[in-house]
Amino acid sequence: MEPQWKNAMAGTIFFWSAGAVLSLLSLPILIIIALIIHLQYRIRKFAHIPSPKMKPHWSSYIFGHANQMDKVRTGEETIHERTLIWIRETGPVMVVHVISRSMILFATKESVKEFVTSGRHFKTPAVYQKLHTVLAERFLGNGLVVEHTDHIWAARRNLFNPAFHRSYLRLSMDQFNRSTNDLIRHMARKADGKTRVRMLDELSKVTMDVIAKVGFNFDCGSFTNEHSEFNGAVKTALKGYSFFLRNPWQKYSFKAETIAHKKKVQSSIKLLRQTGEQIVKDRIENMKKGETGSPNDILSYILKATNGLTDKSFGMTEVVDEFVTFFVAGMETSANTLSTVFLHLHQNKDVMERLQQEVKTVIGERTSIKFEDLGKLEYMGAVIKETLRATPPIGGTGRVSSNDVVVNGYLIPKGSEVIITICIEKVEEYFPDPNNFNPERFLQQTIEENTWVPFMVGPKSCIGQQFAMMEMKVILALLLQTFNFEWLPEQSTRITKETTMKLTDGALHYIRLLDGVTVDE
């Protein structure tokens, strides 16, 4: 007969084991119940704000509108298309509930004025912090795009502002021209009318080259090394960030191919930061040696302004954050915009003809563009602006309301997550016939304040907008002066969301030199 204490212990072990099993089994149920209760609480909290109808499906009681975002995640819809569907249903103000988040989406000039132009509200940490670190590797860190602590951001922005002033950027015109002429020589080798040229790839090379040289006097290999490790690392890091943002559970996958992908993304991010750190160290060392003739680039300006990074609030880690930020922000959006310009020029032959005539009138046969020419390229400026309106490379911007505020007649409680969607540029009240590509609207009509916002507005507007507009005009003008572009008809004209919005097939063309044009090697 077993001793009594053994029987008691066996009973205790059985009791606790059964309890543990029941707890594990009930945990998912408890989580589901908690999600349902939390969603219902948020629906009631924001019941005074219009909201798109949820699908009549059991998952809507747990995940809210998340199942309407499936096509966005898979790429069948862009976030712009989904948002416009909701705007047609609810109007330009709505609240969307996605799992544990409730986001108030605005497409109104009043919301831009309150949440963006005023500078009174905070950047959304949950959105921007995803760029700080990717797969446990510091990516953009606390660069200008990510930093959300107002006083730190303001100090950093004040430090950089003079380097991006139009008068300072005027000194960059020679480099804009050199980089574009390098691109032209590179493309001329493919100008046989039968080689497929993916314009997004070519434009990425030149925008990468420009930011590398204007920013850091650094040859990243765009035109000197077809297999540039640095350029490849930028693309891998950006694609990796986008992939793991859309598929967060893949971070924890044990599949061999996913593990290899993660390691490649991590190695690419390390390479970017190590390259940036070495460039900065070499420049500081040269300054200490008293070497003359320092490059007139943005890095030199930063080092002089910070006395060689001796300020504890802005050291090596912070300047490398900005190094990576400049490449990500400076290369992606400009290249994507220019490639999309070619889509609109293909679809609007009259726009192409007028643009070519303007280039011929202003530039003539010169192979470089003067600063004074930029202002004369008025129609080109309108074409670029209309492209940014019709097919914007970004989705919008996020803020957290710093106080209770009434906007468009709706009370927005303190601490609410607000999204200012770029779809404001598709609202007919502000842009008549918004689906028509019409550059004339930027020449003949007054665009209402706080409605055209591809660079955002107010104190947190994009610091590089003057840089981008100057760069895009130089690149586009010299390309149109040199080549005939034939759009490949079998390609897709859809937009894909990666880090930013871009043409799925990248603007495929056959190209030829224009009659009478020669390109020197």
Side-chain angles (χ1 to χ4, degrees):
M1 194 170 179
E2 291 289 334
Q4 189 173 357
W5 68 269
K6 284 189 176 182
N7 290 333
M9 178 159 298
T12 301
I13 291 171
F14 175 79
F15 173 79
W16 284 109
S17 298
V21 170
L22 287 171
S23 296
L24 288 172
L25 291 173
S26 62
L27 184 59
I29 297 172
L30 292 173
I31 291 172
I32 289 170
I33 291 171
L35 285 171
I36 292 172
I37 292 171
H38 186 47
L39 176 59
Q40 293 306 311
Y41 161 74
R42 288 182 287 114
I43 287 173
R44 286 177 184 156
K45 179 180 178 181
F46 296 108
H48 60 290
I49 301 174
S51 183
K53 289 181 181 179
M54 294 186 189
K55 284 185 177 180
H57 190 269
W58 65 266
S59 62
S60 298
Y61 293 99
I62 304 171
F63 306 118
H65 295 97
N67 53 21
Q68 295 183 37
M69 300 286 286
D70 286 346
K71 288 185 177 180
V72 175
R73 189 181 64 79
T74 60
E76 296 174 63
E77 265 180 5
T78 66
I79 190 62
H80 298 154
E81 289 168 334
R82 170 46 47 188
T83 304
L84 286 169
I85 290 170
W86 282 337
I87 288 174
R88 285 193 289 271
E89 179 185 340
T90 66
V93 182
M94 73 192 81
V95 61
V96 175
H97 307 284
V98 179
I99 311 179
S100 61
R101 293 170 65 188
S102 291
M103 297 162 284
I104 305 170
L105 272 63
F106 281 98
T108 68
K109 63 181 180 181
E110 294 83 4
S111 63
V112 173
K113 182 178 180 180
E114 173 60 39
F115 291 109
V116 182
T117 308
S118 73
R120 289 192 290 266
H121 303 274
F122 314 118
K123 290 165 76 173
T124 311
V127 173
Y128 294 97
Q129 281 299 110
K130 290 184 174 93
L131 284 160
H132 182 285
T133 301
V134 174
L135 298 175
E137 292 292 338
R138 190 178 181 110
F139 188 32
L140 302 194
N142 291 321
L144 270 178
V145 169
V146 175
E147 181 59 64
H148 56 87
T149 305
D150 273 0
H151 72 277
I152 297 176
W153 179 91
R156 192 79 52 82
R157 177 67 179 248
N158 289 336
L159 171 66
F160 292 141
N161 272 338
F164 285 90
H165 191 274
R166 196 172 179 85
S167 60
Y168 194 88
L169 292 176
R170 182 172 186 157
L171 303 174
S172 303
M173 284 297 294
D174 284 347
Q175 188 57 59
F176 290 159
N177 280 293
R178 280 196 297 271
S179 292
T180 306
N181 280 304
D182 284 342
L183 171 66
I184 287 169
R185 282 188 286 273
H186 171 76
M187 287 177 57
R189 302 181 192 115
K190 306 175 185 180
D192 55 10
K194 57 186 179 182
T195 300
R196 287 158 61 102
V197 178
R198 192 171 189 265
M199 287 304 298
L200 179 57
D201 292 342
E202 305 302 333
L203 292 163
S204 295
K205 288 174 186 173
V206 71
T207 54
M208 184 97 74
D209 192 64
V210 166
I211 194 64
K213 289 173 179 170
V214 171
F216 306 95
N217 193 39
F218 164 53
D219 183 0
C220 63
S222 286
F223 305 112
T224 56
N225 180 3
E226 186 178 348
H227 305 290
S228 166
E229 191 177 9
F230 182 86
N231 288 13
V234 172
K235 293 176 183 177
T236 299
L238 285 170
K239 287 185 176 180
Y241 159 76
S242 177
F243 175 80
F244 289 106
L245 182 66
R246 293 194 316 271
N247 307 284
W249 58 89
Q250 292 284 1
K251 297 176 187 176
Y252 312 105
S253 172
F254 290 101
K255 287 183 178 179
E257 59 183 344
T258 306
I259 292 171
H261 184 201
K262 286 192 286 187
K263 287 182 178 178
K264 187 176 181 180
V265 173
Q266 290 169 323
S267 297
S268 295
I269 293 172
K270 284 178 181 176
L271 176 64
L272 298 184
R273 296 191 66 87
Q274 288 167 356
T275 302
E277 184 171 344
Q278 191 59 54
I279 289 170
V280 176
K281 282 181 177 178
D282 290 346
R283 187 71 60 84
I284 291 174
E285 188 63 30
N286 291 340
M287 289 172 65
K288 286 179 179 178
K289 290 178 181 177
E291 292 188 10
T292 58
S294 292
N296 187 30
D297 58 12
I298 293 172
L299 178 58
S300 288
Y301 172 83
I302 292 170
L303 294 179
K304 288 172 185 175
T306 59
N307 195 24
L309 303 185
T310 55
D311 185 342
K312 291 182 179 179
S313 66
F314 191 76
M316 181 62 74
T317 299
E318 289 73 26
V319 78
V320 173
D321 287 346
E322 303 301 351
F323 173 86
V324 180
T325 297
F326 287 171
F327 275 99
V328 170
M331 181 271 287
E332 270 268 302
T333 50
S334 294
N336 293 350
T337 300
L338 283 171
S339 64
T340 314
V341 166
F342 281 96
L343 166 65
H344 294 299
L345 294 180
H346 159 68
Q347 294 174 333
N348 300 273
K349 305 298 184 187
D350 57 325
V351 175
M352 171 66 102
E353 290 171 6
R354 182 170 171 183
L355 201 52
Q356 288 173 321
Q357 185 57 50
E358 181 180 71
V359 170
K360 186 175 181 180
T361 300
V362 174
I363 311 301
E365 296 182 0
R366 287 186 283 117
T367 57
S368 65
I369 295 176
K370 301 175 183 176
F371 178 79
E372 294 74 20
D373 295 328
L374 298 177
K376 299 173 185 176
L377 294 169
E378 292 182 356
Y379 190 65
M380 180 175 288
V383 169
I384 293 171
K385 288 178 179 179
E386 179 68 347
T387 298
L388 287 165
R389 184 202 67 80
T391 44
I394 63 169
T397 190
R399 295 290 185 270
V400 174
S401 54
S402 58
N403 53 275
D404 288 356
V405 60
V406 176
V407 182
N408 294 112
Y410 298 103
L411 172 65
I412 310 302
K414 179 181 178 180
S416 298
E417 183 175 349
V418 173
I419 304 292
I420 305 299
T421 171
I422 201 71
C423 290
I424 186 176
E425 298 175 352
K426 293 290 185 73
V427 173
E428 190 146 9
E429 178 186 348
Y430 308 134
F431 296 94
D433 196 8
N435 295 323
N436 180 37
F437 187 81
N438 178 23
E440 288 289 333
R441 71 175 87 240
F442 287 93
L443 298 174
Q444 296 182 353
Q445 68 187 64
T446 301
I447 304 300
E448 284 196 67
E449 191 176 11
N450 297 319
T451 60
W452 185 76
V453 289
F455 299 104
M456 291 298 134
V457 288
K460 290 187 173 70
S461 62
C462 173
I463 194 171
Q465 61 181 297
Q466 293 284 357
F467 182 104
M469 290 299 290
M470 291 169 64
E471 171 192 43
M472 287 191 287
K473 279 188 174 184
V474 171
I475 294 169
L476 187 56
L478 291 180
L479 286 177
L480 293 180
Q481 182 197 52
T482 307
F483 298 106
N484 175 68
F485 292 90
E486 180 186 346
W487 180 272
L488 270 63
E490 68 272 15
Q491 69 184 297
S492 170
T493 58
R494 284 196 57 76
I495 301 292
T496 297
K497 172 73 167 72
E498 288 186 3
T499 312
T500 52
M501 313 297 286
K502 59 184 67 175
L503 282 166
T504 302
D505 287 343
L508 296 167
H509 285 80
Y510 292 137
I511 61 173
R512 297 180 181 84
L513 291 173
L514 291 172
D515 291 344
V517 172
T518 57
V519 175
D520 297 329
E521 282 290 334

